[in-house]
Amino acid sequence: MSSKTTIATVRRFSSTLTTLAVIAGTCGSAAAIEVTGTLGSPSATSTIEGTRLPAPDPTFGGEIKEDALSSEPWWPPRIVPPPQAPNVLLIITDDAGFGVPSTFGGVIPTPTMDRLAQEGLRYTNIHSTALCSPTRAALITGRNHHSAGFGVISEQSTGFPGYNSIIPEDKATIGKILRDNGYATSWFGKNHNTPAFAASQAGPFDQWPAGMGFEYFYGFVGGDANQWQPNLFRNTTQIYPFTGQPEWNLVTGMADDAIAYLGRLNQTVPDKPFFVKYAPGATHAPHHPTKEWVEKIRAMHLFDDGWNKLQARIFENQKRLGVIPADTELAPWPEKVLKNWEDLSAEEQKLYIRQVEVFAAYAAYSDHEIGRVIQAIEDMGKLENTLIIYINGDNGTSAEGGPFGTPNEVAFFNGVSVPVEAQMKWYDTWGTEQTYNHMSAGWSWAFDAPFTWFKQNASKLGGIRQNMAISWPARITDKGGLRTQFMHVIDVVPTLLEVSGIPAPEYVDGIKQAPIEGTSFAYTFDKENADEPSRHKTQYFEMMGQWALYHEGWLLSTEVNRAPWEAYGPANTDPLNNQVLELYDLTKDYSQSRNIADQHPDKVKELKAMFIAEAKKYQVFPMDASVAARLGAPRPNITAGRSEFVYTQPMTGLPQGDSPVLLNSSYTITAEITVPEGGAEGMILTSGGRFAGYGFYLLKGKPVFLWNLIDLERIKWEGPDVLTPGRHTVEFAFDYDGIGAGTLRYNSFSGLGRSGTGTLKVDGKTVDTRKMEKTLPMILQWDEAFDIGSDTLTGVNDADYQPPFPLTAKLEKLTIKVDRPQLSEADIEKLKSAMRNNSSSE
């Protein structure tokens, strides 16, 4: 029986009153229920009111007697979304500014996005937070990034509610809401919303995708990943699909997995709507496209005339396409920050063209693979009722490669700039597994046209203005339409709830929910509303002390006082008040190019007061302008408070955020091993990989300790003799010369990255001693693991071994002791005094 009835007409297995009680028990409100099929039968389905999630268990509607033959069975109806609720494919790319895709005037071909825009709508006024995981937290919760605990990325998290990188329980994600309303929910690609201190196999997993309502996850947990050998997970289990496949790449790998997942779902439950969050690593560094795509882009010669002309070409394309007003002005090239193309040497130009061609290939390659996923949905016959939201970028184009670019992004995070002549070593292997590459910021400025500045700069549109294409054939009929209403990524969740007919829940898992902070833009789907004023009137922005406030066309913003690659040094101690404020009328000045603060002092005062009110409301305070200092700030960690670590068996995959930290410290690593007859080799302990890290291993039977300093230098200690069969103790001790790293609060880097002396011992006898003149101050390669007994992913020294390099000796015991120097009271007082003097002089 397949009749569709309302609750008032259901008559099966029980009386009318009993049936009403059963369904009301499911949903909390009988009037909200729609039942399909015969109630109590295995095939019955129902929608729910959705104010409480998950829905309470219904009252049993059958009849129980002493024997089964005289009793009536009854099954609770399967929960399904409201009729006609669409499938949803939510796509968000990484580190891509307004001028990247061809859909919005860029020169990089993005035919998938072009197709969606032609069949649906283009949006030119949607905004991010200026940084990746904050944007993503806002996207999946419908709340501002500070409200969701992500004022910065998790690796910079601090112990304040707006910055702790923990999405609160009262802000359920769209995954959890849709799952509990009957959707199949999944997440592919980049996560970066799991705290860095909760990313190990020890859990807890409540802040992993599976714990946030996504039934299936295939991707990487951190902020970026080596696309050739990623730190990859299926749900919470680490996987290695690239093993033995040197041509494997995650961009294709995750598309393949998404297509396979959707195929399984379609064959198993073809009528179940799906929600897929699809978040490729592109175009965040490292830029890792396949050779095929690099060759395609190189053959197009898109960048031979340099970044100044690229910016001008994108700008003219944008005007021609009508995605920016015809009277938009392009700000002058920032000669004080970045050189003009004609002022570069021939070698610089050659390198920079190579850098950007790989970046462009990465963007085009990613768009192509997204197209494969969409084609799979179409092949299933489900495209008509699939809402596809394709957001270009989670912030502006990244300039974290600095003016020169870099073959190794880890160098940026350790404050190291690699000169052009040194980078040429990697020219022919740029973008391959040999690099963790990023391009020059000159290209990033051009790709943010018609705006200025970059990712991290929350006060400039180049950091926060994105664009997107939306397609939904069953609903959107204004094919190729343009929408210019002000929007923010927090508006996506309320939009999805409105179009699916699902309310924002009042309670989730028994916890009262905070209000959704975004505003639905579903009204823009209708052609008659194409020119309706924006319903999102006011929005604050803040990132690492740079801030802005949008209100009904006005934008109050702070003057940029730090380029993204300037992450070190003292920070502004009063970022709320110690700023130069600028004012723009975006209704007349689309590109934020004419500062009119001097003409409207009262408006400046009014908008600053509004910003303060918003900041108080959404947990922006205490505002903090520090950048690199927060990478070393204390935070929860399974290693916190411990100075000694003991391991008695092999273990791999422990992430950097949950492993012992040896940087800026003295430490001793002692391995007790038994060498079998015939000798032994292999990895005892390693952390990091090809682009920064250390390894303690046996090489042809001899003990070795090696530090890989961001792939620019390797310091090696090596024993002269092969270890004989039997039990041995090998030890590496490092005596650090630093006096103690400054804390976040004092912004001191005086104790970071100092020299030290390492000593290698075998059975208590010193076999090698040498001094390291410099050490890594901030991080190792953060997408690589802490491994004992073998080496996952890349190795710290390709010349010595290739992973997994298993240890063939028996590990009896491994002990790590860390002696981290601390600032004295006198040191802290000196730092406080310096801060006061610095503040008073500004």
Side-chain angles (χ1 to χ4, degrees):
M1 185 173 181
S2 60
S3 62
K4 187 174 183 181
T5 66
T6 66
I7 187 169
T9 60
V10 172
R11 298 289 188 273
R12 179 68 173 167
F13 300 138
S14 56
S15 69
T16 301
L17 291 177
T18 302
T19 303
L20 286 170
V22 167
I23 303 302
T26 304
C27 307
S29 172
I33 301 308
E34 187 167 79
V35 177
T36 300
T38 302
L39 183 62
S41 72
S43 62
T45 64
S46 74
T47 60
I48 61 173
E49 182 192 30
T51 57
R52 291 179 179 268
L53 298 177
D57 290 334
T59 303
F60 180 69
E63 186 176 6
I64 297 177
K65 294 187 177 181
E66 291 180 351
D67 62 283
L69 289 177
S70 58
S71 301
E72 290 287 353
W74 187 91
W75 293 96
R78 176 168 58 92
I79 295 172
V80 296
Q84 306 307 311
N87 302 301
V88 179
L89 174 60
L90 175 59
I91 304 159
I92 184 165
T93 62
D94 207 335
D95 284 7
F98 195 90
V100 167
S102 57
T103 317
F104 294 89
V107 302
I108 301 173
T110 51
T112 299
M113 193 179 209
D114 292 348
R115 173 192 171 187
L116 294 178
Q118 291 160 5
E119 296 176 352
L121 302 170
R122 294 170 296 168
Y123 289 78
T124 61
N125 202 4
I126 185 167
H127 296 80
S128 66
T129 70
L131 202 62
C132 42
S133 53
T135 292
R136 293 159 190 270
L139 178 69
I140 62 174
T141 64
R143 280 86 168 190
N144 287 296
H145 57 304
H146 294 88
S147 292
F150 271 91
V152 286
I153 59 175
S154 180
E155 292 81 0
Q156 294 175 304
S157 59
T158 57
F160 300 102
Y163 299 90
N164 61 18
S165 74
I166 301 171
I167 295 177
E169 294 290 339
D170 67 346
K171 297 175 178 67
T173 72
I174 186 64
K176 184 170 288 189
I177 296 170
L178 293 186
R179 181 200 64 188
D180 287 356
N181 277 276
Y183 270 82
T185 58
S186 58
W187 183 335
F188 295 87
K190 178 172 176 174
N191 174 352
H192 214 198
N193 286 134
T194 295
F197 47 82
S200 80
Q201 296 301 286
F205 298 112
D206 59 312
Q207 295 276 314
W208 284 59
M212 294 190 285
F214 295 86
E215 297 167 314
Y216 182 79
F217 172 61
Y218 178 96
F220 53 97
V221 174
D224 59 33
N226 182 330
Q227 300 294 295
W228 304 106
Q229 295 167 302
N231 193 13
L232 193 64
F233 289 83
R234 177 173 282 116
N235 299 320
T236 59
T237 301
Q238 195 166 12
I239 58 173
Y240 306 90
F242 45 81
T243 301
Q245 301 189 62
E247 302 301 316
W248 189 94
N249 188 291
L250 179 56
V251 177
T252 296
M254 66 178 273
D256 287 345
D257 203 81
I259 292 168
Y261 165 82
L262 289 169
R264 291 193 302 271
L265 185 68
N266 186 53
Q267 292 184 160
T268 308
V269 195
D271 62 342
K272 187 170 188 175
F274 60 77
F275 170 76
V276 174
K277 183 190 177 192
Y278 196 84
T283 50
H284 196 294
H287 305 151
H288 279 171
T290 61
K291 182 179 179 180
E292 169 194 5
W293 281 96
V294 174
E295 291 174 348
K296 285 181 180 180
I297 293 297
R298 295 194 79 177
M300 298 173 72
H301 297 283
L302 297 173
F303 309 104
D304 292 356
D305 54 359
W307 48 53
N308 299 83
K309 292 185 178 179
L310 171 65
Q311 182 195 42
R313 190 158 66 250
I314 293 172
F315 184 60
E316 291 306 315
N317 287 345
Q318 290 168 338
K319 286 188 175 182
R320 176 178 52 81
L321 291 174
V323 296
I324 67 173
D327 62 353
T328 302
E329 297 179 7
L330 192 63
W333 189 261
E335 296 181 22
K336 293 183 179 180
V337 180
L338 298 163
K339 288 183 179 180
N340 285 300
W341 186 254
E342 61 268 22
D343 295 330
L344 301 172
S345 69
E347 185 178 53
E348 287 173 324
Q349 291 182 353
K350 178 181 178 181
L351 174 67
Y352 297 158
I353 290 172
R354 178 66 166 171
Q355 291 175 355
V356 73
E357 286 175 341
V358 170
F359 170 86
Y362 194 29
Y365 172 35
S366 179
D367 179 84
H368 171 79
E369 295 298 315
I370 291 170
R372 290 182 54 230
V373 176
I374 294 172
Q375 185 61 51
I377 294 171
E378 184 172 19
D379 292 344
M380 295 172 194
K382 293 189 172 184
L383 191 62
E384 179 73 11
N385 196 36
T386 297
L387 169 60
I388 302 175
I389 301 176
Y390 188 158
I391 303 173
N392 170 62
D394 53 359
N395 42 243
T397 313
S398 173
E400 291 162 354
F404 309 129
T406 181
N408 183 359
E409 184 202 28
V410 185
F412 159 73
F413 289 107
N414 282 288
V416 176
S417 177
V418 184
V420 168
E421 57 269 24
Q423 293 191 49
M424 292 302 292
K425 170 185 173 182
W426 290 278
Y427 180 85
D428 292 328
T429 58
W430 203 269
T432 71
E433 69 279 358
Q434 297 300 317
T435 61
Y436 216 83
N437 50 304
H438 206 320
M439 66 183 175
S440 167
W443 300 115
S444 307
W445 190 283
F447 282 127
D448 285 346
F451 310 113
T452 60
W453 291 95
F454 318 97
K455 170 187 178 180
Q456 294 191 27
N457 298 123
S459 62
K460 290 293 181 177
L461 293 176
I464 58 176
R465 177 68 64 84
Q466 314 303 139
N467 43 45
M468 69 179 174
I470 294 182
S471 171
W472 185 9
R475 168 77 181 272
I476 297 173
T477 59
D478 185 18
K479 297 184 182 296
L482 184 69
R483 300 294 186 266
T484 61
Q485 290 88 349
F486 180 92
M487 299 172 189
H488 190 275
V489 291
I490 61 173
D491 298 337
V492 171
V493 165
T495 302
L496 295 180
L497 295 180
E498 179 178 343
V499 301
S500 62
I502 294 172
E506 295 178 15
Y507 290 87
V508 175
D509 297 329
I511 297 171
K512 185 171 177 58
Q513 295 295 289
I516 298 288
E517 294 164 7
T519 303
S520 172
F521 55 77
Y523 67 96
T524 67
F525 294 173
D526 300 321
K527 187 173 183 178
E528 57 268 27
N529 294 333
D531 299 319
E532 182 175 329
S534 175
R535 296 180 184 178
H536 191 141
K537 305 293 186 182
T538 304
Q539 179 63 47
Y540 83 90
F541 300 90
E542 191 278 337
M543 189 58 60
M544 294 178 286
Q546 299 182 65
W547 55 268
L549 182 90
Y550 170 87
H551 180 66
E552 296 184 340
W554 292 97
L555 185 71
L556 177 73
S557 61
T558 57
E559 180 184 63
V560 174
N561 53 21
R562 180 189 63 81
W565 56 88
E566 296 171 343
Y568 291 79
N572 186 342
T573 57
D574 186 7
L576 177 63
N577 299 304
N578 189 18
Q579 301 266 25
V580 175
L581 298 182
E582 301 174 340
L583 181 67
Y584 300 91
D585 182 354
L586 298 184
T587 65
K588 301 174 182 177
D589 175 18
Y590 186 82
S591 60
Q592 194 187 6
S593 61
R594 297 189 298 275
N595 176 17
I596 55 175
D598 290 345
Q599 302 171 36
H600 301 276
D602 291 341
K603 179 60 71 172
V604 170
K605 184 177 180 180
E606 172 195 345
L607 294 180
K608 181 178 179 181
M610 290 183 65
F611 172 81
I612 292 172
E614 296 289 288
K616 290 178 179 178
K617 182 178 180 181
Y618 297 119
Q619 302 186 153
V620 178
F621 296 139
M623 206 185 303
D624 187 346
S626 63
V627 185
R630 277 192 270 187
L631 288 172
R635 56 183 59 90
N637 188 300
I638 57 177
T639 69
R642 297 171 62 190
S643 60
E644 183 173 343
F645 306 85
V646 178
Y647 308 91
T648 58
Q649 62 186 34
M651 177 181 72
T652 61
L654 190 64
Q656 300 294 334
D658 284 319
S659 61
V661 178
L662 305 186
L663 302 184
N664 310 304
S665 303
S666 296
Y667 53 88
T668 302
I669 304 174
T670 304
E672 300 173 33
I673 60 175
T674 299
V675 176
E677 293 293 332
E681 67 171 5
M683 185 60 64
I684 299 170
L685 167 67
T686 183
S687 190
R690 177 178 290 131
F691 304 104
Y694 61 85
F696 195 9
Y697 50 95
L698 301 182
L699 181 63
K700 297 179 181 178
K702 300 178 181 180
V704 172
F705 194 93
L706 180 139
W707 262 107
N708 172 359
L709 303 181
I710 52 178
D711 204 25
L712 296 176
E713 183 180 7
R714 285 171 172 80
I715 311 296
K716 181 190 284 189
W717 294 259
E718 185 170 8
D721 301 320
V722 173
L723 296 182
T724 58
R727 186 149 180 162
H728 293 278
T729 298
V730 289
E731 175 187 293
F732 180 77
F734 189 75
D735 186 13
Y736 182 60
D737 295 334
I739 63 169
T743 66
L744 159 71
R745 186 171 182 181
Y746 305 122
N747 288 300
S748 169
F749 298 92
S750 60
L752 301 182
R754 296 293 184 173
S755 59
T757 300
T759 301
L760 180 64
K761 294 182 179 181
V762 176
D763 297 326
K765 178 183 177 181
T766 297
V767 296
D768 197 4
T769 299
R770 68 185 59 220
K771 185 167 185 176
M772 287 179 69
E773 296 299 331
K774 53 185 176 293
T775 57
L776 296 179
M778 285 296 172
I779 64 168
L780 307 182
Q781 185 179 345
W782 59 13
D783 72 325
E784 294 260 2
F786 175 94
D787 297 329
I788 298 170
S790 64
D791 189 356
T792 57
L793 307 183
T794 65
V796 292
N797 191 22
D798 291 341
D800 281 355
Y801 71 93
Q802 293 296 312
F805 200 43
L807 180 65
T808 57
K810 181 182 179 183
L811 178 67
E812 307 289 349
K813 185 178 181 182
L814 177 69
T815 304
I816 301 175
K817 294 182 179 180
V818 183
D819 180 12
R820 186 163 290 108
Q822 300 295 320
L823 286 169
S824 68
E825 290 297 324
D827 293 328
I828 293 175
E829 187 54 41
K830 288 179 182 178
L831 291 170
K832 287 181 178 179
S833 178
M835 285 180 60
R836 287 191 293 265
N837 292 337
N838 181 60
S839 178
S840 63
S841 65
E842 291 176 337

